[in-house]
Amino acid sequence: MPSGTVHCCEVRNLEKAFDQTVVLSNVNLAMPSGSFTVLVGASGCGKSTLLRTVAGLESPTSGSIWMGDRDVTALPPKDRDIAMVFQSYALYPHLSVRENLAFGLKLRRTPETEIAGRVAEASAILGLDALLDRLPKQLSGGQRQRVAMGRAIVRRPRMFLFDEPLSNLDAALRAEVRVDIRKLHDRMGGTTLYVTHDQVEAMTLADTLCLLRAGQIEQMGPPLELFDRPVSRYVAEFLGSPKINCLDGQLVYTNAGPHITIGSSTLSVPERYRALSPQSVVVGLRPHHLTPASAEAPQFGTLLVTFYEALGFETYVHGTLQGAGDKALVIRVDSNHRVARGDAIAIGVRPEHTVLFDPKSGRALDT
Amino acid sequence: MKAWLVSILLVVVAFGFVLGDCRSTAANRIVLWHAYRGAEEQALLELTARYEAQTGTTVEVLAVPFLAYASKLSSAIERDQGPDVFIDAHERLGSYRDDGLVVHADAAFPKDDNERYDAIATKVARDDEGVAWGVPFALKGVALILNTSLVEGAPDSIESLVKSRNDGAYPLAYEAESAYVHAPWLHAFGGSMLGPNDAYGFTGEPARKSVLFARSLVSSGLVPASADGALVKQLFESGKAAAIIGGPGLVSELPKGLPLRVMPLPRMHAAASAPEPFLTVELLFLAPRSVARPEVSAFARFLASDESARTRVRAQVVANAATWKGAEAIAPHLRAFHDAALASRPMSTRTAMRATWEPVEQAIRSAMRAPNIDTASLDAILVESARRFESSKPKTTSASKARGFTAVAVTLFAAALVAYRSSRPRFWSGLRASAGAYAYVMHAAIAVFVLVVLPLIAGAVTSFFSGPRNHMTYAGIGNYVDILTARGGPLLGYGSFYRTLLVTIVWTIANVTLHVTIGLALALLLSRPLLRLRGLYRTLLIVPWAVPSYVTALAYKGMFHQQFGAVNALLRKCGAEPVSWFSHFSTAFAANVATNVWLGFPFMMVVILGALTNVPKDVLEAADVDGATSWQRFRHVTLPLLLPQLAPAIVLGAVWTFNMFNVVFLVSGGEPDNQTDILVSEAYRWAFTRHAQYGYAAAYAVLIFGILWLTSRLSRRWQTEVA
C-alpha cells in the first residue's frame, strides 16, 4: 500500500530494458487526481515507453505501477480503466466514426441507450455530429484526431493517455487542438498523462512537466519552474525558443564584489550565487532576457549584429559578443526596434535572470 | 530487320522439312508400335534388327506408353502418321474396326497358317466369316502363383488351397474387388459379363453365386479384403500370402530368389465348371496405310513366325502352338501361363464390354463390404448394377426435340449477348481504342487464345454432340437436358447431376472452411514475434504445398487402407476398432477432406501471414486499451482487417477445391459407389469409362464452368464490399 496521499496513478522505481538496452531507469512519478502531466524529452528518451508501460502495452522489467490503491503492474490494459489517444490515431479502419466511438462501450456490454447517449455527448463536444457515419479514410487528419479523442472520452476512464497526439497536424491546427485538449481535460476532470516532444505543448498544457533524459527524469515540476529554475543546462536548453544562450565565463571576486566575466564583458552576480567560490561557469542567458541596455538591465557587452529574423511581433537578433571571441548570441528585441547587419547594440540583462551551470556536470549551481 | 526476316524464314523452312519428313512414307520403311517394356521389348528389338539385316528394310520401332496407347493410335492414324503395324489387345478390335483403324490381315495370316497358332488365338483373330483382322502374337491371362516354401504340391481346388496351413500367411490373396480377377468365379458358375446382343451379363444365378463365393473367401479371413494389385504383390513378396492370382507381368516384377510355382486356376468344388480367367490375345494389327504394301504383311508374318516365336518365348507367352510342343528350354512359369491361357475365355471384342466394368465392380464392392447379406439385398445390388449399365448407355435424343431445344438455346444465347452488350455500351469502342496496346501483348494474347479460348470453344461445341468418338451425332442441347433432368431418374438419385453438385458444394465448403481455419490458426501462431524457430516451422508447414498433389493423394490412400493403413494401425494401437474408410460415404468423404486439407492449408496460411503484416499494430493496441479480450480483438479487429486480402484467396481456393480432381479420383476414387464423386470426377467417368461419351462429359464441363463463372461474378460484389 502506498503511504501518504493516494494518487490517481503512481509509477515507482520503474525500470524497462529491451534485451540489453536500458530504456527507463529509476522512474518515479506521481499523478494526483485531475492533474495534467506532460512527459517531454528528445526522441529516444523513453517518454513513449513510459506512457505505454503505464497503459499496460509494455510490461516493466522491474518496479510497479499503481492506480489508486491497486497495483496494476501485472494487469492488461483493459483492466486499468484508461483510454489512450495514439499518435497515428489508430482508428478502426473498417468501422464508422459512430462505431469507433462505441467500440469500447460495446465490448463492455454497456446498454445500447447509454452508448447512444455517450456517443452523442462526445460527438457534440468534439463537433463530430456530421461525421458519425463516415469511415476513417473519409476524414481529414484533424477530424481523425477528434475521433480518436472522442473514442477516449466516451469511455469516461479514470485516466487519459496521449501519445504525441498533435504531431501529425499542421501548425495552425495544432495550436487550436492544443487548447481544445486542455479545455477538455478541465471539463472531463480526469487525470491526463501526455507525451510530446514539442516544448510549446509541454509548457502550455502541463500542470506538472516531466522532462526525461536518457530514460531518467531530469526534472519534474510546474512548467515555469523548469523554465526559470532548470536543474541543468540540458533542461535550460531544452525549453525555450530560441534556445538559451550558454556562454563560458569565470566567476571572480574583485574589490567590487563577485563578477562574472565573459571575455571582456562583465556581468554582476545574482543574489543566490553569492556563496559560490571563484570558478569557471557556464552562463545561461535567455534571448528574451537580453535587451538593449537600460536602467533595469545594465549593459554588460556589445552585440555585433550578423543576422536577424523579424517575425513581425518581435525580432530575433543574432550576433557575436564583442570582446568575447566569436561567441554567438541571440537576443530578442521589439519589432519596432530597427536593426541592420553590422549594427552594434549595447545589451544588458537583469541580474536575477542569469543562471549558472557547472561546466563539467552541467548541473545548475544555485542549489 | 533483315536478320529478323531471315531467322523467321529459316524456322519456317526447317519446320517444313520436319513436317515433310513425317509425312513421307519411304517404300522400304515400316513403322511398328508397341507398349512393351523390359524383356518383351528387348526380344522385339532383337527380331526387328534381325529382319532389317536380312531384308534391308528399315523398321522404325516406337514404344508408346500403355495408358496413352489407344488415344495416340487413333489420333496418329487419322493424320496418316501412325504405324504400319501395331501390337495391341484383341478386345480393342471392335472399336478399332468401328473407327477404321485396322484393315484385313489375310495376307499376313493366310488360312494355311491356322494350325500354326493356338486354336483359341486363331479363333479370336478371325471374324465369323473367317476374315483375319490380325496375326496372333502373344497370350495374356492370369494363373495361380504359389510360394512353394509355404504351399506343398499343387492344390486340387480353390477350397483346399484356402484351407491349407501356411504359417499364418494368407492362403490366397487376389484383387477381390476387381471385376477382371473376379470373372473366373462368374464363368465357373456359368455366367458372363456381357451377354448376347450387348445385354448386361452380371445378373441372375451365376452372378449371385460368384459373389457369395468371393464373399465366403474374404469373410472367412483367409483372403484379405479390398486388396489392390500393389498390396497383393507386396503380401506375396513378404511371405504373407502363400498364393496369389496374377499374370506373367507380375511374375517378372517379383524378386528373383522367390521360390515360385505357376499353375492354371484349380477347379472349385462349389461350381460345376472350372474357373476360366479372361484371356487377352495380343494381335499384330495392320493399319490402313499398309494396304497394298506386301512388305508390311511380310514383316508381320516374320514377327509371328515360329522362328521368331522361339526368340520371343524367352519373354512372353507366344501364341505359336508348336513352340510349346518343342523341346526348347522354356521357363516353367511361362509354360504354366500358356496352359492357363488355353483354359481361359477370350474377352469380348464388343465396345459395350468397356461399360460393364464399372457397374460390375460396384456390385462386387457393395456385396463384399455389406456387413450382412441375404438373397433380397444381393438381388437389389445386382438389379441396381444392371440399371446403371443401362442408364450409362448413350441416349438418343430425337432430332425434332433437340432442334426445338437448340432454338431455345440460341435465343437465350443471343439474349445474353444483347444484355451483355447493353450493360457495357462502350465494349467495342473500348476494344478499338486499346488496339495499339494489344500490339504489345500480341504474343500473350495469341498464347491465351490457342491454349485457353480454343479448347474452351472446342469443349463447348463437343457438348452439343453425343455418342462415342468418331461416331458423334449432333444432339443439340440434348446432353444438357439429360443432365439437368437427372436422366429422368429422381433428382437426388444415384449419379444425378444435382446429387453430385450437392456433394461438390459440401466438399467445397468443408474444405475451404478447414483451409481457412487451420491456415488462420497457424498464421496467428507463426506471427507471434516471440516464437522461437519461427522460420523452421514456417518452412515445415509449407512442405505439404510443395509436394505434388497426386503423390500426397496416393500416400493418403495408402494410409486409409482398412487392413494395412497407418490410420487404422493408430486406431488399433489406441484400442479402437479399425474403420473401413471407403465403405461409407461419411468416412470416405472425411478421408478425401483430410487429404485435401493437408494439401490446401499452407496456401491459406501463407496468404494470411502476408495479410497479418498489414494489420496496423497500434490499432490492435487501441483495441487492447478499449477493453477487448484476445478473442474480441481477433473477432472485431484482426479478422475484419484480414478479409480484404483473404476474400480473393477464399474465392480462388473455392474454385480449386471445386475442381480438385486428383484427390477425389486417387483417394476415394468415388467410393463407396461413386457417392463421393464431385462434378469433375463424374465428368471424367462419362468421358472415359461409360461408353466414352465425350459430348456428355463436355456438357458437364460446360455446366461446371457456368457454375464457377456465376459464383465468381457474385463473389466479386462480396469482395468489393469487404475491401
Side-chain angles (χ1 to χ4, degrees):
Chain A
M1 283 292 290
S3 59
T5 332
V6 173
H7 292 103
C8 173
C9 176
E10 199 178 344
V11 175
R12 294 191 196 162
N13 299 324
L14 195 76
E15 296 241 7
K16 173 72 185 172
F18 293 107
D19 294 325
Q20 299 302 314
T21 318
V22 177
V23 182
L24 294 172
S25 62
N26 193 30
V27 173
N28 285 284
L29 183 64
M31 288 158 270
S33 286
S35 67
F36 198 120
T37 307
V38 174
L39 296 174
V40 71
S43 331
C45 70
K47 55 190 189 297
S48 277
T49 307
L50 177 55
L51 182 88
R52 290 167 57 81
T53 312
V54 171
L57 296 171
E58 307 279 354
S59 49
T61 310
S62 70
S64 57
I65 294 162
W66 294 75
M67 298 259 174
D69 52 7
R70 277 193 316 158
D71 181 354
V72 299
T73 317
L75 293 184
K78 70 185 176 69
D79 298 328
R80 296 193 176 194
D81 198 11
I82 51 163
M84 183 159 165
V85 176
F86 290 79
Q87 181 174 10
S88 62
Y89 317 134
L91 301 181
Y92 307 116
H94 58 294
L95 300 181
S96 70
V97 170
R98 188 194 305 280
E99 290 164 329
N100 262 285
L101 295 180
F103 189 75
L105 298 174
K106 277 197 178 141
L107 294 179
R108 283 156 211 271
R109 306 202 189 290
T110 314
E112 285 294 331
T113 49
E114 193 183 341
I115 293 180
R118 289 220 222 164
V119 168
E121 184 193 346
S123 87
I125 294 173
L126 293 163
L128 294 171
D129 288 338
L131 309 174
L132 282 177
D133 294 315
R134 298 218 196 145
L135 287 174
K137 65 181 171 199
Q138 298 165 311
L139 303 179
S140 71
Q143 290 169 331
R144 285 181 211 185
Q145 209 279 336
R146 297 213 303 271
V147 177
M149 291 208 294
R151 192 170 63 179
I153 63 175
V154 286
R155 294 251 320 279
R156 294 186 187 158
R158 184 203 282 253
M159 196 169 171
F160 293 97
L161 304 174
F162 289 84
D163 188 5
E164 309 219 17
L166 306 182
S167 59
N168 289 343
L169 301 181
D170 62 62
L173 202 55
R174 205 179 299 166
E176 190 184 319
V177 179
R178 196 169 69 212
V179 176
D180 291 342
I181 288 179
R182 181 69 215 202
K183 281 186 188 159
L184 201 62
H185 167 81
D186 295 341
R187 177 169 179 169
M188 304 301 294
T191 308
T192 300
L193 181 60
Y194 187 106
V195 164
T196 182
H197 64 270
D198 182 291
Q199 50 162 315
V200 180
E201 279 172 42
M203 293 298 293
T204 51
L205 287 171
D207 298 332
T208 304
L209 186 56
C210 177
L211 200 155
L212 285 166
R213 180 187 184 187
Q216 286 182 306
I217 295 179
E218 181 85 356
Q219 187 174 4
M220 181 160 64
L224 287 178
E225 184 184 310
L226 268 72
F227 189 79
D228 292 332
R229 304 292 297 274
V231 298
S232 65
R233 181 175 169 179
Y234 182 84
V235 176
E237 287 190 321
F238 191 88
L239 299 174
S241 174
K243 221 160 80 169
I244 192 169
N245 298 294
C246 283
L247 305 167
D248 291 327
Q250 290 290 330
L251 179 63
V252 292
Y253 283 83
T254 62
N255 296 341
H259 290 286
I260 300 162
T261 60
I262 305 166
S264 59
S265 306
T266 305
L267 264 171
S268 55
V269 177
E271 206 63 40
R272 61 182 192 277
Y273 298 119
R274 298 251 158 133
L276 293 173
S277 52
Q279 58 183 292
S280 296
V281 292
V282 170
V283 186
L285 297 166
R286 292 216 178 264
H288 70 278
H289 288 147
L290 291 171
T291 54
S294 65
E296 297 93 53
Q299 182 183 359
F300 78 91
T302 305
L303 182 76
L304 299 175
V305 177
T306 55
F307 177 71
Y308 65 92
E309 301 168 277
L311 302 181
F313 54 97
E314 59 190 15
T315 301
Y316 298 128
V317 182
H318 300 247
T320 53
L321 190 61
Q322 199 173 39
D326 278 337
K327 288 260 154 49
L329 209 62
V330 183
I331 72 165
R332 195 203 70 181
V333 297
D334 279 347
S335 56
N336 51 20
H337 192 113
R338 298 290 162 190
V339 288
R341 189 177 296 181
D343 282 359
I345 307 175
I347 52 169
V349 66
R350 290 162 72 126
E352 66 269 29
H353 286 147
T354 306
V355 285
L356 297 181
F357 305 104
D358 184 281
K360 289 204 183 78
S361 69
R363 308 307 296 180
L365 288 170
D366 60 339
T367 42
Chain B
M1 202 60 202
K2 266 183 187 163
W4 249 88
L5 279 176
V6 170
S7 54
I8 288 176
L9 263 174
L10 276 176
V11 170
V12 168
V13 169
F15 201 62
F17 266 113
V18 173
L19 273 183
D21 189 47
C22 279
R23 290 176 174 279
S24 72
T25 35
N28 272 349
R29 191 168 147 277
I30 298 169
V31 180
L32 168 68
W33 279 24
H34 67 90
Y36 286 149
R37 289 181 305 167
E40 288 186 295
E41 185 177 19
Q42 285 309 317
L44 192 65
L45 291 175
E46 193 182 320
L47 286 175
T48 50
R50 197 185 301 163
Y51 189 72
E52 284 182 316
Q54 281 171 9
T55 61
T57 316
T58 310
V59 179
E60 196 176 292
V61 184
L62 185 67
V64 178
F66 175 74
L67 286 175
Y69 202 76
S71 66
K72 282 226 187 300
L73 200 62
S74 59
S75 57
I77 289 177
E78 273 169 22
R79 285 166 189 72
D80 197 24
Q81 289 170 13
D84 300 297
V85 191
F86 61 94
I87 304 169
D88 204 352
H90 80 275
E91 60 261 27
R92 285 180 172 164
L93 177 59
S95 63
Y96 288 166
R97 276 176 68 177
D98 288 350
D99 295 350
L101 301 181
V102 292
V103 292
H104 291 183
D106 286 323
F109 184 19
K111 287 235 163 60
D112 304 345
D113 283 357
N114 274 359
E115 299 307 314
R116 175 184 293 166
Y117 307 107
D118 288 318
I120 200 165
T122 303
K123 190 157 177 285
V124 164
R126 293 191 184 278
D127 64 14
D128 296 343
E129 281 84 48
V131 177
W133 287 92
V135 189
F137 196 67
L139 307 175
K140 293 272 156 81
V142 295
L144 191 67
I145 307 168
L146 301 162
N147 182 335
T148 49
S149 66
L150 295 172
V151 192
E152 282 177 19
D156 68 337
S157 71
I158 296 286
E159 287 88 345
S160 67
L161 167 70
V162 169
K163 283 190 189 103
S164 61
R165 290 267 132 245
N166 24 49
D167 305 335
Y170 285 112
L172 173 67
Y174 75 104
E175 293 176 65
E177 291 176 359
S178 145
Y180 182 78
V181 195
H182 180 88
W185 317 147
L186 178 69
H187 296 156
F189 288 108
S192 67
M193 280 176 46
L194 190 69
N197 300 323
D198 290 351
Y200 188 57
F202 200 68
T203 53
E205 204 57 25
R208 203 177 298 140
K209 282 183 171 164
S210 73
V211 167
L212 290 174
F213 176 73
R215 211 180 129 86
S216 71
L217 292 180
V218 170
S219 60
S220 64
L222 299 170
V223 170
S226 343
D228 60 6
L231 180 63
V232 166
K233 178 168 164 256
Q234 187 204 327
L235 288 172
F236 191 68
E237 279 171 1
S238 56
K240 286 181 190 145
I244 55 173
I245 298 175
L250 176 60
V251 170
S252 66
E253 287 171 14
L254 290 170
K256 288 286 164 267
L258 217 58
L260 319 163
R261 172 187 180 147
V262 178
M263 60 177 283
L265 291 182
R267 65 195 183 82
M268 299 148 63
H269 286 306
S273 327
E276 289 175 341
F278 272 129
L279 175 69
T280 288
V281 181
E282 284 180 334
L283 300 175
L284 287 168
F285 288 109
L286 302 186
R289 72 177 194 180
S290 70
V291 170
R293 290 186 66 203
E295 69 273 19
V296 175
S297 296
F299 174 61
R301 269 191 97 171
F302 165 80
L303 282 183
S305 69
D306 283 346
E307 190 210 337
S308 303
R310 278 193 287 279
T311 301
R312 290 189 287 119
V313 80
R314 297 200 304 261
Q316 63 182 180
V317 183
V318 298
N320 301 55
T323 310
W324 302 100
K325 290 178 193 122
E328 291 91 346
I330 297 175
H333 75 268
L334 285 182
R335 194 177 281 281
F337 276 116
H338 184 245
D339 293 343
L342 296 187
S344 300
R345 179 180 299 197
M347 207 179 284
S348 167
T349 60
R350 313 282 315 166
T351 42
M353 184 69 197
R354 264 166 81 185
T356 60
W357 299 108
E358 195 182 315
V360 169
E361 291 196 344
Q362 186 277 320
I364 296 172
R365 268 202 306 270
S366 303
M368 299 287 265
R369 293 182 182 183
N372 295 300
I373 201 147
D374 55 21
T375 321
S377 56
L378 183 53
D379 281 349
I381 288 170
L382 294 176
V383 166
E384 173 64 15
S385 90
R387 194 188 69 74
R388 288 183 192 184
F389 176 81
E390 293 306 325
S391 86
S392 72
K393 279 185 178 168
K395 279 190 183 168
T396 42
T397 317
S398 74
S400 65
K401 195 172 154 199
R403 217 169 284 141
F405 278 124
T406 309
V408 173
V410 168
T411 317
L412 278 177
F413 181 73
L417 202 67
V418 168
Y420 185 76
R421 286 283 312 270
S422 61
S423 75
R424 287 170 192 226
R426 285 192 298 273
F427 178 75
W428 290 112
S429 64
L431 195 66
R432 264 196 304 279
S434 48
Y438 277 104
Y440 290 97
V441 292
M442 192 47 84
H443 54 297
I446 289 174
V448 167
F449 184 78
V450 171
L451 297 175
V452 178
V453 180
L454 271 188
L456 198 67
I457 294 172
V461 169
T462 308
S463 72
F464 293 104
F465 290 82
S466 73
R469 219 181 121 80
N470 299 330
H471 293 277
M472 287 195 168
T473 50
Y474 179 66
I477 59 166
N479 287 330
Y480 293 96
V481 174
D482 249 21
I483 292 171
L484 295 177
T485 55
R487 298 175 78 81
L491 279 189
L492 290 178
Y494 164 82
S496 101
F497 172 78
Y498 299 101
R499 181 178 162 147
T500 317
L501 178 63
L502 193 69
V503 171
T504 313
I505 290 172
V506 174
W507 157 256
T508 307
I509 292 174
N511 274 297
V512 173
T513 310
L514 286 167
H515 285 164
V516 173
T517 316
I518 295 175
L520 192 60
L522 290 173
L524 288 173
L525 281 176
L526 282 180
S527 67
R528 290 156 74 118
L530 294 177
L531 187 71
R532 279 173 205 284
L533 298 177
R534 197 147 49 129
L536 177 71
Y537 294 143
R538 194 167 43 207
T539 311
L540 285 178
L541 286 170
I542 291 175
V543 164
W545 198 15
V547 177
S549 64
Y550 76 93
V551 174
T552 308
L554 289 175
Y556 265 78
K557 185 183 175 62
M559 293 206 296
F560 283 111
H561 188 274
Q562 191 195 352
Q563 270 173 297
F564 305 97
V567 179
N568 278 356
L570 265 176
L571 286 179
R572 266 193 292 269
K573 275 255 162 63
C574 303
E577 279 292 301
V579 177
S580 171
W581 288 95
F582 300 117
S583 306
H584 309 284
F585 172 79
S586 55
T587 49
F589 190 75
N592 283 350
V593 170
T595 311
N596 198 44
V597 165
W598 174 257
L599 282 168
F601 79 83
F603 170 73
M604 288 294 173
M605 186 187 81
V606 168
V607 169
I608 295 168
L609 263 179
L612 275 176
T613 59
N614 283 350
V615 176
K617 191 164 155 273
D618 52 3
V619 172
L620 296 176
E621 291 179 344
D624 282 341
V625 173
D626 262 346
T629 60
S630 308
W631 165 249
Q632 286 174 324
R633 189 178 73 169
F634 171 74
R635 168 72 190 77
H636 297 296
V637 182
T638 309
L639 199 59
L641 293 183
L642 284 180
L643 263 186
Q645 283 163 81
L646 199 52
I650 289 177
V651 172
L652 202 61
V655 172
W656 284 342
T657 309
F658 199 90
N659 281 340
M660 185 37 99
F661 176 80
N662 288 4
V663 168
V664 173
F665 190 74
L666 294 176
V667 177
S668 78
E671 284 187 51
D673 194 12
N674 297 346
Q675 284 176 31
T676 50
D677 266 326
I678 59 172
L679 287 173
V680 271
S681 59
E682 180 79 4
Y684 174 88
R685 286 185 209 287
W686 284 107
F688 298 104
T689 61
R690 297 172 187 158
H691 299 278
Q693 298 182 65
Y694 290 99
Y696 205 80
Y700 256 89
V702 170
L703 286 171
I704 294 170
F705 174 78
I707 292 168
L708 289 179
W709 182 77
L710 206 68
T711 321
S712 71
R713 288 296 300 225
L714 291 176
S715 74
R716 203 181 299 170
R717 284 171 61 183
W718 171 63
Q719 284 186 51
T720 40
E721 233 167 68
V722 297

